[in-house]
Amino acid sequence: MKSPNHISLESVREEPVSFSFELPFSLKALDREPLLELSRVSLAGTIRRIERGFALEARCAFRGQLECSRCLAAYPFSVEEPFALLLYERAPGVGDVREIGRDELDVSLYEGTELDVAPIAEERVQMAIPMKPLCREECLGLCPQCGQDRNVRRCECVAAAADPRWGALEAVRDATKSQKV
Ligand SMILES: [Zn+2]
Ligand SMILES: [Zn+2]
């Protein structure tokens, strides 16, 4: 039985062949902590023969929810990116992708006549998830002392922190107050 997530390489002859897939991934299988939700991953493009292999050009699109590494809030993200991949058959003489990979191009090895597109899509997803996701660049995060989300409200802990600059500021403020009285 043919798997639905495969491209038959034998069907690729003179002309490029178009393909379009909608791939479901489980969060468990992806195993990336900040990823809270993921849509189906759409992978669409063309594949054509090149010398000793195939060239794949595709667009990968998906969206979901990530957890901000500073404030722990869930926020939506979406990715739609074009990419290109060279595919060479895994052969006894070709042990390492780096031997044949030209630096600027992604290279992958395949075996047999059916190309499984799931690992290709998964790699795009893995690369798109940041190590430290941020809901926004200037996210203030949670207060390490009281846990208050500082994007929502400033807590009082800041003044109590052992930062001499705050002490100096207080002194100035007190001085101003007493002058007014
Ligand atoms: Zn945040
Ligand atoms: Zn606080």
Side-chain angles (χ1 to χ4, degrees), residues 68 70-71 135 139 151:
C68 175
R70 281 191 201 149
C71 71
C135 61
C139 172
N151 298 306

Side-chain angles (χ1 to χ4, degrees), residues 143 146 155 157:
C143 170
C146 72
C155 57
C157 304

